[in-house]
């Protein structure tokens, strides 16, 4: 009954449901498998060439190689939880600590270790399983937000330059699964699912505030352009969900404050990571990008800023946006605004852009066929580039993934 009601309102999902005998899931599952084989081959090749580092011995096995960097912090969280007393550096500031890493991913991985799996296997298995589930949910989402583009859009995401992250000991796979589910629930007006998904999403990776902003923008647009078709009950539901998402967006900051007794503990923890680049500075919204680009490019930073903003505007306002649902575009805008407000640009930026995966539906409008082949080929070729510059440990490496 529920599926019938949803498919009546969503022709694209009706088409998928009607082809149940053809097993709609075969395509996204097959594409996921091919994409994981490609990323695994690249990661294995680099693992065999990895020199000894603080993370691994020389030539580590694939599991050890897949659980470096932040995966070690997730391991610490899974074993020890979070400190009630924050570490203080020699200059009197809060140092790097586990509060920068949210609890859902390491706690789920810990459940897997309880059945006998070592941490490395548990964390990678969780990421791989979540990436498969993400591929299936994202395919359904793409079919709804951009009918006819779902196959190529999913290929862009699963073969993207940062696609190896889908099988590393990071929270991205799980977060993207939750995000895809939340976006699909939004599109289907399955509000009850959002009440459940948004807290879990917000405690997996930062995203609650961006989702609240996207809902708020959608509320205002519908109120101003489609008021008659926006009944009061739905308005109250959307407003409530926006507030709910915002509350959980601040939830981890509140938890950190309650445990440590410091209202600035979470922000100070996050700032400790960027201090290696620019020293200790206060967080002023919308300033990290100018500050960061100036650090990277000197006097040329305004040109880089204009270029980045121009690329985002071209993506979101260009003709390829046509045929892509408003909700997907608003989420992309909201998340980019969130990054613009608080994120310091560095090598992790590429990974932090993964939540705008719905934008792949816009890129999927590219024609003709050779252009599509070039786009996918570039995605695959850039995977080893990302691994080399961001994941592989090269001496005193500061290009964190």
């Amino acid at each position: 009954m529920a599926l019938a009601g949803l498919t009546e309102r969503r022709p694209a999902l009706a088409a998928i449901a009607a082809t149940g005998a053809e097993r709609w899931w075969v395509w996204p599952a097959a594409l996921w498998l091919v994409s994981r084989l490609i990323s695994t081959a690249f990661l294995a090749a680099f693992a065999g060439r990895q020199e000894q580092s603080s993370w691994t011995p020389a030539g580590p096995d694939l599991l050890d190689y897949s659980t470096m960097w932040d995966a070690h912090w997730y391991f610490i969280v899974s074993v020890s939880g979070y400190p009630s007393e924050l570490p203080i550096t020699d200059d009197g500031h809060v140092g790097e600590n586990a509060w920068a890493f949210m609890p859902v991913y390491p706690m789920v991985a810990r459940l897997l270790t309880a059945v006998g799996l070592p941490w490395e296997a548990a964390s990678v298995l969780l990421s791989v399983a979540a990436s498969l589930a993400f591929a299936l949910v994202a395919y359904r989402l793409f079919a709804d937000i951009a009918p006819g583009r779902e196959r190529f859009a999913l290929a862009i995401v699963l073969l993207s330059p940062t696609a190896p992250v889908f099988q590393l000991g990071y929270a991205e796979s799980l977060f993207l699964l939750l995000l895809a589910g939340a976006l699909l629930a939004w599109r289907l007006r399955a509000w009850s699912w959002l009440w459940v998904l948004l807290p879990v999403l917000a405690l997996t990776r930062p995203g609650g505030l961006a989702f609240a902003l996207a809902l708020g923008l959608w509320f205002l647009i519908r109120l101003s352009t489609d008021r008659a078709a926006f009944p009061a009950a739905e308005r109250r539901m959307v407003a409530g969900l926006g507030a709910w998402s915002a509350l959980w967006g601040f939830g981890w900051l509140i938890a950190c404050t309650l445990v440590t007794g410091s209202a600035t503990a979470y922000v100070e923890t996050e700032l400790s990571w960027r201090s290696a680049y620019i020293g200790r500075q206060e967080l002023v919204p919308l300033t990290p990008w100018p500050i960061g680009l100036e650090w990277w490019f000197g006097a040329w930073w305004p040109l880089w800023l204009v270029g980045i903003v121009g690329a985002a505007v071209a993506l979101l306002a260009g003709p390829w946006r046509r045929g892509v649902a408003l909700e997907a575009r608003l989420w992309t805008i909201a998340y980019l605004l969130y990054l613009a407000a608080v994120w310091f640009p560095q090598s992790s930026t590429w990974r932090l852009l993964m939540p705008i995966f719905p934008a792949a539906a816009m890129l999927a409008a590219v024609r003709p066929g050779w252009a599509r082949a070039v786009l996918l080929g570039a995605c695959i070729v850039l995977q080893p580039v990302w691994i080399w510059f961001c994941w592989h440990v090269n001496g005193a490496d500061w290009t964190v993934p």
Side-chain angles (χ1 to χ4, degrees):
M1 291 291 291
L3 180 59
L6 294 178
T7 54
E8 285 175 5
R9 286 180 289 155
R10 292 288 182 269
L13 290 185
I16 288 179
T19 59
E22 299 175 11
R23 296 177 297 178
W24 66 267
W25 51 267
V26 170
W27 168 262
L31 180 58
W32 170 85
L33 178 60
V34 171
S35 70
R36 291 313 88 220
L37 290 174
I38 292 173
S39 292
T40 298
F42 285 139
L43 288 168
F46 278 96
R49 292 165 175 76
Q50 176 63 62
E51 297 178 357
Q52 183 176 356
S53 70
S54 58
W55 305 110
T56 69
D61 62 36
L62 187 57
L63 285 178
D64 283 338
Y65 189 72
S66 299
T67 49
M68 302 189 299
W69 302 100
D70 288 355
H72 185 66
W73 281 106
Y74 285 121
F75 170 72
I76 291 173
V77 171
S78 74
V79 173
S80 305
Y82 297 92
S84 57
E85 295 184 9
L86 298 173
I88 304 298
T89 61
D90 292 339
D91 58 3
H93 294 291
V94 174
E96 298 176 0
N97 66 86
W99 281 104
F101 303 91
M102 294 179 169
V104 172
Y105 175 80
M107 292 300 103
V108 176
R110 181 175 180 173
L111 293 177
L112 295 176
T113 64
V115 299
L117 289 176
W119 162 259
E120 293 80 5
S123 59
V124 170
L125 176 61
L126 174 56
S127 292
V128 171
S131 72
L132 172 57
F134 164 75
L136 299 175
V137 177
Y139 183 76
R140 298 294 292 262
L141 176 65
F142 282 131
D144 191 70
I145 65 173
R149 302 183 190 177
E150 58 269 18
R151 291 190 173 190
F152 192 62
L154 185 63
I156 292 172
V157 175
L158 294 181
L159 294 170
S160 64
T162 55
V165 176
F166 282 119
Q167 60 193 80
L168 302 177
Y170 274 48
E172 264 65 25
S173 287
L174 185 57
F175 177 75
L176 292 177
L177 167 61
L178 294 165
L179 176 59
L183 291 171
L184 185 59
W186 181 10
R187 279 290 294 164
L188 300 179
R189 313 296 183 253
W191 306 122
S192 57
W193 277 101
L194 281 178
W195 290 105
V196 176
L197 287 171
L198 288 175
V200 186
L201 178 151
L203 294 178
T204 303
R205 290 279 308 153
L209 294 179
F211 209 99
L213 176 58
L215 286 172
L217 293 173
W218 188 70
F219 182 97
L220 293 175
I221 290 172
R222 287 202 63 191
L223 198 63
S224 61
T225 64
D226 197 20
R227 191 184 188 97
F230 194 23
E234 190 175 13
R235 283 182 235 160
R236 289 192 296 270
M237 180 67 72
V238 175
L241 282 167
W244 182 244
S245 188
L247 172 64
W248 284 101
F250 286 109
W252 193 236
L253 183 151
I254 295 171
C256 186
T257 298
L258 293 175
V259 173
T260 64
S262 171
T264 62
Y266 178 71
V267 173
E268 289 293 319
T269 294
E270 291 290 353
L271 290 175
S272 66
W273 261 267
R274 69 183 64 174
S275 64
Y277 296 87
I278 58 174
R280 202 58 168 211
Q281 296 189 18
E282 296 298 320
L283 175 61
V284 179
L286 298 177
T287 63
W289 279 83
I291 292 171
L293 291 175
E294 184 177 18
W295 186 88
W296 285 100
F297 304 111
W300 295 98
W301 75 264
L303 293 179
W304 281 91
L305 184 61
V306 170
I308 292 169
V309 173
V313 171
L315 174 65
L316 294 166
W320 33 79
R321 80 184 190 284
R322 301 190 190 108
V324 177
L326 177 63
E327 292 88 344
R329 288 182 279 133
L330 289 179
W331 161 254
T332 302
I333 292 170
Y335 185 77
L336 289 177
L337 288 174
Y338 169 77
L339 289 186
V342 302
W343 179 249
F344 177 82
Q346 35 98 341
S347 50
S348 295
T349 302
W350 308 112
R351 175 173 57 87
L352 268 289
L353 288 173
M354 293 179 76
I356 65 167
F357 76 88
M362 303 177 204
L363 296 177
V366 67
R367 295 289 190 277
W370 65 264
R372 291 185 159 210
V374 169
L375 177 58
L376 283 187
C379 286
I380 295 171
V381 168
L382 287 173
Q383 282 192 40
V385 175
W386 181 85
I387 295 172
W388 173 253
F389 283 103
C390 294
W391 188 260
H392 200 75
V393 182
N394 296 293
D397 205 328
W398 50 271
T399 54
V400 295

